[in-house]
Amino acid sequence: MTHAKLTSLMARGAEFLGCETAILCGAMSWVSERHLVSAISNAGGFGIIACGAMTPQLLDAEIVATKALTGKPFGVNLITMHPQLFELIDVCARHEVGHVVLAGGLPPKGSIEAIKQNGAKLLCFAPALSLAKKLARSGVDALIVEGMEAGGHIGPVATSVLAQEILPEMASELPVFVAGGIGRGEAIAAYLEMGAAGVQLGTRFACATESIAHPAFKKAFFRASARDAIASVQIDPRLPVIPVRALKNAGTEAFTAKQREVANMLDTGAVDMGQAQLEIEHYWAGALRRAVIDGDVEGGSLMAGQSVGMVKAEEPVATIIATLMDEAAAALGQRG
């Protein structure tokens, strides 16, 4: 009975995504690739390829490789500031990717139309109610409400506050997925009852058996508590630095030095503001790769959400999803 109620609450999100369970895997650069994405989709969830700094050629190959591992729907996450954004959109269209997620800021002019003209559904992040309304007016098909508890690039407001602000206003208009700090099914049940169409989790899946993350990266997660996942600090107000949440290590200290270096480049005219932002983004991409792929858990970036304390062991994706669903169903059952 409780699973039936859970299925009913997730029905809208599952139908929108074309999957069995309205649980998306957040796009984690270097982690959300063919193996993890296909495993999540095969387990009934919705995997999302993290395009990040990929070239169109690399994204093309990643989509082909993912399709070879799953016949289920999956999406692609594109960064709005990518200099080849429209070429990446074309790659998604050629492969008939059904869902595209735009992250990193408001969609650039023409990008919404370019994505939707090929029949794809577009999801965007809404860090405030005013932006949620603006995105809905712009023709976005669904919203992701992600709070500052999440790993990687974050906004300034907690998930619970954003959910209370946005769900009552927007959930009747279009599907809204809630993300940030979700580690157990009880939280999923609560957001579904508030009107969410589904949820997105990243940190919980980063250490799945199917994740290609280095064993040392996974061990760092298993040892960490919620308070170890800290947000980066902006040292120069001129630099368009979006805070990043990661486990504290030497890499977080190095980012402070990197900001000083880029600020000096701005002072000397070596780079303009756009190039400065790309310098920062390239730093994170490189630092994340060192941690995820090479296992450099001291100098690399261990991007993690505050739910990291609930990640205790390496488990198959199917087990993680089943556990979350059981916990959510049990929570709904207790409420009657």
Side-chain angles (χ1 to χ4, degrees):
M1 178 65 74
T2 52
H3 270 280
K5 184 176 181 182
L6 177 58
T7 301
S8 175
L9 287 171
M10 276 191 169
R12 185 188 189 192
E15 181 182 0
F16 174 80
L17 297 169
C19 60
E20 299 161 37
T21 305
I23 295 178
L24 302 92
C25 179
M28 301 171 283
S29 292
W30 305 109
V31 178
S32 298
E33 49 74 73
R34 64 192 72 172
H35 297 93
L36 184 60
V37 170
S38 61
I40 287 167
S41 290
N42 285 335
F46 194 81
I48 300 175
I49 294 172
C51 177
M54 284 185 193
T55 61
Q57 293 76 21
L58 284 173
L59 178 61
D60 182 86
E62 199 61 41
I63 293 172
V64 170
T66 304
K67 282 189 169 183
L69 297 172
T70 183
K72 302 286 184 70
F74 62 87
V76 174
N77 179 294
L78 303 177
I79 306 299
T80 55
M81 71 179 73
H82 197 296
Q84 294 174 290
L85 175 62
F86 286 87
E87 292 172 55
L88 296 169
I89 291 171
D90 288 341
V91 171
C92 292
R94 282 203 308 274
H95 288 290
E96 298 182 338
V97 171
H99 297 73
V100 173
V101 181
L102 280 184
L106 286 172
K109 185 178 181 181
S111 60
I112 293 178
E113 294 79 6
I115 290 167
K116 296 191 63 172
Q117 73 181 3
N118 295 297
K121 293 176 181 174
L122 174 60
L123 299 85
C124 284
F125 287 86
L129 177 58
S130 58
L131 288 173
K133 290 179 176 179
K134 180 179 175 64
L135 288 166
R137 289 194 302 269
S138 300
V140 167
D141 298 295
L143 301 172
I144 301 173
V145 173
E146 183 177 72
M148 53 93 69
E149 301 95 321
H153 291 85
I154 57 171
V157 183
T159 304
S160 60
V161 175
L162 284 176
Q164 290 176 79
E165 281 187 345
I166 294 175
L167 287 173
E169 296 265 355
M170 305 301 299
S172 60
E173 191 170 335
L174 74 179
V176 180
F177 297 87
V178 176
I182 300 174
R184 289 185 57 90
E186 292 88 347
I188 295 174
Y191 289 126
L192 290 171
E193 286 189 316
M194 289 174 67
V199 294
Q200 176 178 288
L201 292 81
T203 302
R204 190 74 174 82
F205 289 117
C207 297
T209 306
E210 296 89 346
S211 165
I212 64 164
H214 195 282
F217 180 92
K218 294 181 180 182
K219 285 179 183 175
F221 272 48
F222 302 150
R223 291 194 300 264
S225 66
R227 67 177 59 194
D228 295 320
I230 62 169
S232 61
V233 177
Q234 181 181 19
I235 66 164
D236 190 319
R238 295 175 304 164
L239 288 177
V241 176
I242 301 170
V244 168
R245 187 175 299 284
L247 300 182
K248 187 175 183 180
N249 65 357
T252 56
E253 310 274 330
F255 179 57
T256 302
K258 180 65 180 178
Q259 288 186 72
R260 290 197 186 96
E261 176 193 328
V262 175
N264 288 336
M265 291 167 71
L266 270 175
D267 289 337
T268 61
V271 296
D272 60 24
M273 195 58 73
Q275 291 169 315
Q277 190 166 5
L278 281 175
E279 282 280 331
I280 297 294
E281 288 306 311
H282 286 156
Y283 169 84
W284 282 121
L288 188 58
R289 188 189 192 285
R290 289 197 300 277
V292 173
I293 305 300
D294 302 333
D296 180 4
V297 296
E298 282 304 314
S301 175
L302 297 165
M303 292 189 188
Q306 290 182 318
S307 60
V308 68
M310 293 173 245
V311 180
K312 301 297 185 185
E314 192 175 55
E315 297 175 295
V317 161
T319 300
I320 295 171
I321 290 178
T323 299
L324 292 169
M325 293 292 282
D326 286 345
E327 290 168 350
L332 292 171
Q334 288 170 2
R335 292 168 200 171

